[in-house]
Amino acid sequence: MSKAIEVHDLRKAYNGRTAVDGISFDVHSGEVFGFLGPNGAGKTTTVRMLTGIIAPDSGSIAILGHDIVQEPVRGKQAIGVVPETANAYDDLTAWQNLMLMADLYGLRRPAARRPAADLLEELGLADRRDQKVAGFSKGMRQRLILAMALLHDPQLLFLDEPTSGLDVQSTHLMLEILGERSRAGTTIFLTTHNMDEANRLCDRVGIIRAGRIAAIDSPERLKQAINRMFMIEVGFDRPVEAPVFAGLPGIDRVSKHGDTWRLETADTDAAIASVVAAARSSGARILSLSTLSPTLDEVYLRLTGGDA
Amino acid sequence: MIRPAGLGEQLRRSLAVARKDIRIYYVKGPVVIFGLLIPLFLFLAFSLGNRFASVPFLISGLLAMTVFFTATAVSPVIFPWETQARTLERLAAAPITVPALVFGDVLASFLFGALIALVPVGIGVALGVTITSPAALLAGILLAALCFASLGVLLAVPPARAPQNIMMLSSLIKFPLIFISGIFIPVESLPAWGRVLAAASPLTYFTDIARAAMGEANAYPVALDLAVLAAFSLLFLGAAMLLHARTLSKRL
Ligand SMILES: Nc1ncnc2c1ncn2[C@@H]1O[C@H](COP(=O)(O)OP(=O)(O)O)[C@@H](O)[C@H]1O
Ligand SMILES: [Mg+2]
């Protein structure tokens, strides 16, 4: 399988504060790669470096075989970009914005008209073609930005949180088009903080946290990891201290939530036996006990360093 | 197959940037206000106070101010405007080099600066001014428009986010230049320190060309004026391309 993106030991600091801390990964041609992480994790900084918008402090980036730092124009020519916070020109119409992109990507006007019209149709903007973007809703703007990124039919598409804060219909339409492009062979690099979106769309997901990659895996395997992680919630009739659970078989992590304790385990059977033993030894009675299957968010939060 | 990084292809993309600038920014207020109204007011105030100044002297001053103010009206604020409107990142992601992007912005201002010259020259001709050397005047107008447009884009280098800050900074530089460039007082009648100051201003050389082309007395040989204007243009344009390449990413 050939590589669309090869990143090695990439680093970037802003005024001495590290934003991206030595990440390395590959994206295969044709796959949808999700870059999942909370706010401030370093997703946008990474995308900006990969797309040649800012220079890395160190490390190497090959985009479709081009070193993006050495050959920025050739690299940029081959990719489409939907930046996180970018606008189309308010004072231009949707069509004029698209034609500006055609010119900037070196498409000749006659060759650009057909795909531009098709994209507006596909993205539900055909009847807005000659209206200024100033009057567009957020969803319409974001759809136009996607059309602008797709006009030159790039082999590789970068999207930085493309559906964040978007209405349901626009989100649906955009994800549908990304799916279509992916089936047609376009490689897609997508950042998101939405686990479900990553799960639905991506062949592989990289989880980034505080500038480092915490895990890279397929959503299926991440799900398997999730299935091995259960939670037991237990309540006692009197206060019980944390050391009671210390070192008991099957219990990996303990946290207190109000009157109940949450115990993480990979072995439910052993953990329940341990809880019963702990109750006996401390003279407490169990008032309630339930097992919780973890949500995707909990695994994600755990991997990204939050408290589940 | 196109060569995206080739000079010809990048120039085409500069043209696209210039077209966008003209569509978006030159229909906004500052061009008319700064480019035509201010020079006209300065001109009227000055000519009312100076009954002895000849018409060609006044018209050449008006021409110099108009080209100068028009070419620098919008060029310093394009980058801050694009930063504020968040359109700059889309441009930065496109396969166009920063020098080509800068050149596009210069080109737009150059066109307006050069075209606006028709207004004062037209007024002059209507008032009976004879253009004694049209070729020198044309060359002067074109070089001056290029020089001032480059200066304008160069003024945008500090990566300030608020367009007003850059507007203020550029006014602080633009207005004093008007007074040291022989527009109101001929360079020859300035004291020694004034002549030194005047020699440092690119506007002086354009005013000088305009005087010569309208049959007025002037300070330097026209060939020297043109050479100095060309040198300033290269300096400003080169510096703008180099420095914007460094500061562009700081705006995002
Ligand atoms: N232009 C900038 N100047 C200074 N710090 C920045 C800049 N951009 C991002 N950062 C910092 O770098 C870190 C990573 O930010 P970012 O890449 O935007 O994360 P994400 O996109 O995952 O939310 C954050 O701590 C953020 O505050
Ligand atoms: Mg971000």
Side-chain angles (χ1 to χ4, degrees), chain A residues 14-15 17 19 38-46 48 84 160-161, chain B residues 252:
Chain A
Y14 294 107
N15 311 316
R17 280 193 50 217
N39 276 336
K43 302 183 297 294
T44 297
T45 305
T46 303
R48 283 178 168 172
E84 182 179 32
D160 192 359
E161 306 215 22
Chain B
L252 301 174

Side-chain angles (χ1 to χ4, degrees), chain A residues 228-259:
Chain A
R228 274 189 266 106
M229 221 179 81
F230 279 92
M231 193 98 71
I232 293 172
E233 202 168 58
V234 58
F236 300 98
D237 66 343
R238 68 194 63 184
V240 162
E241 295 308 312
V244 166
F245 303 106
L248 291 179
I251 297 178
D252 300 333
R253 244 165 65 119
V254 180
S255 57
K256 191 162 195 225
H257 293 259
D259 286 343

Side-chain angles (χ1 to χ4, degrees), chain B:
Chain B
M1 193 55 210
I2 53 166
R3 287 174 46 248
L7 186 65
E9 192 54 38
Q10 287 294 315
L11 267 175
R12 281 179 49 97
R13 296 176 193 192
S14 297
L15 282 177
V17 170
R19 225 174 5 243
K20 173 264 300 173
D21 288 344
I22 290 170
R23 272 213 174 110
I24 297 174
Y25 303 118
Y26 284 86
V27 296
K28 291 191 175 172
V31 178
V32 182
I33 294 170
F34 286 102
L36 275 177
L37 292 184
I38 289 185
L40 220 55
F41 282 132
L42 287 173
F43 166 77
L44 284 177
F46 179 74
S47 51
L48 288 178
N50 277 273
R51 309 275 154 105
F52 308 110
S54 73
V55 175
F57 179 88
L58 291 172
I59 289 296
S60 56
L62 178 66
L63 171 63
M65 282 192 288
T66 316
V67 174
F68 180 64
F69 277 114
T70 303
T72 55
V74 172
S75 41
V77 265
I78 294 178
F79 270 99
W81 267 334
E82 300 237 8
T83 306
Q84 206 174 49
R86 299 210 162 275
T87 51
L88 191 63
E89 187 161 359
R90 200 47 280 232
L91 284 180
I96 179 170
T97 62
V98 176
L101 185 59
V102 165
F103 188 65
D105 288 345
V106 168
L107 212 55
S109 287
F110 162 79
L111 278 178
F112 270 80
L115 281 177
I116 207 86
L118 290 174
V119 176
V121 171
I123 294 177
V125 170
L127 292 179
V129 173
T130 333
I131 313 290
T132 50
S133 37
L137 187 65
L138 183 66
I141 288 172
L142 295 180
L143 267 178
L146 177 65
C147 181
F148 303 150
S150 304
L151 174 64
V153 177
L154 180 62
L155 288 175
V157 160
R161 273 177 183 269
Q164 306 89 289
N165 292 350
I166 289 290
M167 285 261 197
M168 191 130 79
L169 172 74
S170 62
S171 296
L172 282 179
I173 292 174
K174 275 151 61 173
F175 280 93
L177 273 189
I178 291 294
F179 294 98
I180 63 166
S181 300
I183 289 177
F184 303 116
I185 307 164
V187 176
E188 312 87 88
S189 5
L190 288 173
W193 61 267
R195 280 198 295 268
V196 173
L197 271 184
S201 160
L203 190 52
T204 304
Y205 302 94
F206 178 48
T207 313
D208 205 54
I209 294 169
R211 296 264 150 83
M214 295 180 190
E216 276 287 295
N218 70 327
Y220 311 109
V222 169
L224 178 71
D225 286 328
L226 289 170
V228 175
L229 266 186
F232 269 115
S233 304
L234 278 179
L235 178 72
F236 293 153
L237 187 60
M241 288 176 170
L242 216 72
L243 294 174
H244 275 293
R246 286 199 200 154
T247 54
L248 180 65
S249 66
K250 298 202 176 77
R251 297 174 184 276
L252 301 174

